[in-house]
Amino acid sequence: MTRYRLSGAVMTHPKRRAAAERLAQAAPPGGLRVVMDPDPAGKPSVLRTALCAWSAIDDGATHQLVVQDDMILSDTFFARARMAVEEMPDAALALFALWDSRNGAAVRFGALTGARWVTAVNEYFPCVAIILPREVAAGFVTFGRRHLDSSPDDILMNRYLRAHRIPAYVSVPSLAEHEDHGSISGNAFRGPRRSVCFLPSDIPGREDIRLSGPRVLPFFKHGVAQCAVRAGAPGDDPGHWLHLTCEQYLEGCGLRPGRPQPAIVQMAEASGPAAATGTWLTAFTMGLVQQRDGLRTTAPDDGTAPAPDPAVLAEALATVGPGGISHAQPEERIAELRAELSQITLAGIEAGRETANRLRTRPARPRTEAPLRVGVLGPTTPLTEHLVRGLSDAGHQVTPLDRRTVPEEPTTPGRPAGRPYDALLDLTGLAPHPPVPATGAAAGTGATSAGRGTSPPSLSSLTLKYPTASGQFRDVTVRVGDLYGPGCPHDTRIGRLVRDALRSHPLTVEDPAAPLRPLHVSDLVAALSAMLTTAPPDGTTGLAGAPVTAAELAAAVQTAVRPVPINEAPPTPPATPPRRTEEAPWPPAPPGWKPATELTYGLHTHAQWLAYEDIHLALDI
């Protein structure tokens, strides 16, 4: 006898009712009931149907399982699901993770260590096959009804679970796989959406072996080897992460793998250099982190040391490369490249482990030059954290001062009297301007405006202070363009468009020809690092990428985030003709600096930041 009883629902739309009924019929008797979209003619909404599915829990059931209609369930799906509920009755359990996701990266670490479950990380919480305790499901229904048009269901689920401190785990391997009948909710543009690791005949048992606490998560997505790094010290808010590329993270560790490229990457014949390099960097970082950090699972109840399951591990590692190129390649082409990319992954894992062992016995070489000491003035914000991390990874010794006054400290040999820093980065100028007036979604109509030439960007300038021999400072004003990327808020001209695309709202461009100067956070870090080393001669310098129009930016958001409609709203004629003013010329850029971030990828990183981090600052519970 068990204290727990599981009921289940398949959520569907009338267009896919047959698929839902087949899935329900294949389940054990009474295991799944079909729950239909209550407004099938309305705007597509996964959340609307999900709330009905969560409410359809059987009388007397302690847990509810909700599965989407385009899933294939493993042969042992229900056996493992029931055993997991017995082992973790108070937890939310995701039975699927995508091959290019951060939760997928956590699953790969689980496969490497022999875990059966991994702690979910700050991303969306996968909701295509999920189990919730009855009380949690009821609470999410109440929460979701208040936010029906705000964010996708999986992002809201993560927000709800985190706010209420509900333990959340992801299965290793996945117990379900996407069948991809097409996406009612508009996700088909993402390409194939496969599991990080699906084994139809996975053997149930040992559900007590769990992995928690990875602080670095390498994943290959959108053609770029990326790295989510937990901010703060162990024990701090587990949902707070910095967004880097693997290359940035490794350089911050004093490493430059792939320079020159490993032979296995150079010899890649079918996949091409971009896919091979991204796969290699991701796998190298995985091997380094696993070996260096000594990732270990919880001790199982029987006291035996868990070992990786060879079949689970092989499948989890084989999806690193395919997941990273799935946004741009059809299923057939991905299958052709799988074997070659898998070999690159295995070689990268081994090279990362070897590097970790070598660093353990052979300390890194000391720097030939002392690092520049940089003080950072201003409040601690997500943007400040990304700038501090970026400058530290670039080799500077950065000290956040978290105040607005220039510090006076004892004389340091070799530095001007009373000035212990080689330079100060004054971020007090990054205080928000008055927000751009809300229209569209912000005003309740479901759209956001962009391209108002008279509206100031949310962030405008900062100051670099260089101490002089007299003990004073020489200030250089750094004008930034329309700043975007990790750490940047949603109430900027770019942020508003990205946020509405995330919500599947149309984008309204009031002045298609209005100019913007996009500047990604990583390009700002690179420019600041160069200016700290070599101060610009002029008192003002300007940082921005290539100018774009508001219409061009909206089109880029469609590609990078979601292909929502673009509306060009007719401008409201002013009461009096505006006075024509000439725009001041943009200051020169620092010598030798050029922005490197491609706009589409940069907008993709901004969308990730808003979806996984900024929502926790903006959404009420």
Side-chain angles (χ1 to χ4, degrees):
M1 297 294 291
T2 175
R3 295 176 296 164
Y4 307 108
R5 182 185 162 205
L6 180 67
S7 75
V10 184
M11 50 182 284
T12 192
H13 186 276
K15 292 181 179 179
R16 297 216 296 242
R17 179 169 190 161
E21 289 177 343
R22 285 195 300 271
L23 188 58
Q25 290 167 4
L32 293 173
R33 71 168 73 174
V34 175
V35 174
M36 201 73 63
D37 184 343
D39 184 18
K43 177 183 176 182
S45 171
V46 174
L47 179 60
R48 181 177 62 228
T49 311
L51 297 181
C52 294
W54 289 119
S55 301
I57 187 169
D58 292 348
D59 292 340
T62 59
H63 291 74
Q64 176 75 336
L65 162 69
V66 171
V67 181
Q68 294 186 6
D69 59 23
D70 57 350
M71 304 305 293
I72 301 171
L73 307 186
S74 70
D75 299 339
T76 58
F77 180 94
F78 286 93
R80 273 207 71 187
R82 292 190 178 98
M83 294 177 73
V85 166
E86 291 281 344
E87 187 64 39
M88 298 169 284
D90 300 322
L93 304 175
L95 312 179
F96 171 91
L98 273 173
W99 55 5
D100 64 350
S101 67
R102 301 173 193 200
N103 280 303
V107 167
R108 289 193 181 98
F109 277 139
L112 284 164
T113 57
R116 297 289 275 166
W117 296 87
V118 295
T119 303
V121 298
N122 195 46
E123 194 183 39
Y124 56 86
F125 189 69
C127 287
V128 296
I130 177 179
I131 297 171
L132 294 181
R134 186 184 194 101
E135 296 78 11
V136 177
F140 180 71
V141 169
T142 301
F143 170 69
R145 285 173 178 162
R146 297 203 310 267
H147 299 286
L148 270 173
D149 203 29
S150 64
S151 293
D153 66 322
D154 46 13
I155 292 176
L156 289 175
M157 181 65 75
N158 176 60
R159 178 69 177 105
Y160 180 80
L161 297 175
R162 176 182 163 191
H164 291 275
R165 301 184 182 277
I166 307 298
Y169 297 96
V170 184
S171 64
V172 186
S174 294
L175 306 184
E177 177 64 289
H178 260 296
E179 197 168 12
D180 270 352
H181 291 307
S183 178
I184 296 283
S185 58
N187 286 321
F189 75 98
R190 301 187 187 278
R193 295 168 292 154
R194 295 293 182 225
S195 163
V196 60
C197 177
F198 177 64
L199 294 178
S201 57
D202 177 59
I203 300 174
R206 310 205 76 180
E207 310 299 332
D208 56 325
I209 305 177
R210 298 188 288 274
L211 174 68
S212 61
R215 301 188 61 81
V216 180
L217 289 168
F219 60 102
F220 189 24
K221 183 173 185 176
H222 212 76
V224 178
Q226 303 180 48
C227 206
V229 180
R230 190 173 297 186
D236 288 351
D237 180 2
H240 185 37
W241 296 74
L242 299 179
H243 299 214
L244 310 172
T245 65
C246 285
E247 198 164 10
Q248 289 170 332
Y249 175 75
L250 293 171
E251 289 185 352
C253 298
L255 299 171
R256 291 192 172 188
R259 298 184 184 180
Q261 286 188 332
I264 195 168
V265 174
Q266 293 177 326
M267 294 171 61
E269 297 179 355
S271 54
T277 301
T279 302
W280 167 267
L281 282 172
T282 306
F284 180 94
T285 310
M286 287 171 55
L288 175 81
V289 170
Q290 183 209 3
Q291 193 73 6
R292 183 199 62 193
D293 295 355
L295 298 180
R296 297 289 185 272
T297 62
T298 56
D301 291 341
D302 60 10
T304 59
D309 181 315
V312 173
L313 182 57
E315 180 63 20
L317 297 184
T319 62
V320 172
I325 62 174
S326 60
H327 71 295
Q329 298 291 345
E331 190 105 42
E332 297 76 13
R333 180 59 176 161
I334 292 173
E336 293 172 359
L337 304 179
R338 178 181 165 111
E340 183 175 88
L341 293 176
S342 180
Q343 290 181 333
I344 293 173
T345 297
L346 293 173
I349 292 271
E350 190 58 34
R353 289 170 170 168
E354 291 174 357
T355 299
N357 289 333
R358 186 170 64 251
L359 292 176
R360 190 176 298 153
T361 58
R362 185 189 310 165
R365 294 180 181 178
R367 294 174 60 97
T368 56
E369 299 178 359
L372 292 177
R373 298 187 61 190
V374 183
V376 179
L377 297 167
T380 299
T381 66
L383 176 59
T384 306
E385 288 183 323
H386 278 85
L387 295 180
V388 168
R389 172 71 190 228
L391 292 174
S392 299
D393 287 349
H396 305 294
Q397 185 176 330
V398 186
T399 304
L401 302 175
D402 197 25
R403 58 181 185 265
R404 297 172 180 263
T405 58
V406 177
E408 296 283 353
E409 295 187 18
T411 301
T412 301
R415 293 184 171 88
R419 307 298 188 197
Y421 298 100
D422 295 296
L424 293 174
L425 176 58
D426 187 351
L427 297 179
T428 56
L430 291 181
H433 287 279
V436 177
T439 66
T445 65
T448 280
S449 66
R452 294 191 191 90
T454 59
S455 298
S458 191
L459 308 174
S460 61
S461 67
L462 52 86
T463 304
L464 281 173
K465 296 177 175 289
Y466 300 91
T468 64
S470 65
Q472 302 301 312
F473 283 94
R474 179 174 77 88
D475 289 357
V476 173
T477 299
V478 181
R479 287 184 60 190
V480 300
D482 293 276
L483 196 61
Y484 74 110
C488 295
H490 61 264
D491 58 354
T492 65
R493 292 195 290 181
I494 295 178
R496 285 175 183 263
L497 288 174
V498 171
R499 193 182 193 203
D500 269 4
L502 280 169
R503 297 173 166 189
S504 298
H505 292 162
L507 313 178
T508 297
V509 180
E510 292 188 353
D511 183 359
L516 292 94
R517 299 177 180 269
L519 177 68
H520 194 267
V521 170
S522 62
D523 290 325
L524 174 58
V525 169
L528 291 175
S529 179
M531 287 188 287
L532 289 169
T533 303
T534 304
D538 299 324
T540 301
T541 190
L543 304 176
V548 298
T549 66
E552 291 169 337
L553 178 68
V557 170
Q558 280 185 312
T559 300
V561 185
R562 183 176 287 272
V564 293
I566 298 177
N567 300 327
E568 293 187 5
T572 303
T576 58
R579 181 179 299 176
R580 190 175 183 86
T581 58
E582 294 293 333
E583 183 180 359
W586 190 253
W593 174 82
K594 288 184 179 180
T597 304
E598 191 268 330
L599 181 60
T600 301
Y601 171 68
L603 291 169
H604 170 74
T605 67
H606 196 172
Q608 288 184 133
W609 158 256
L610 294 180
Y612 308 154
E613 305 287 345
D614 184 72
I615 188 174
H616 299 298
L617 307 174
L619 193 64
D620 67 300
I621 289 294

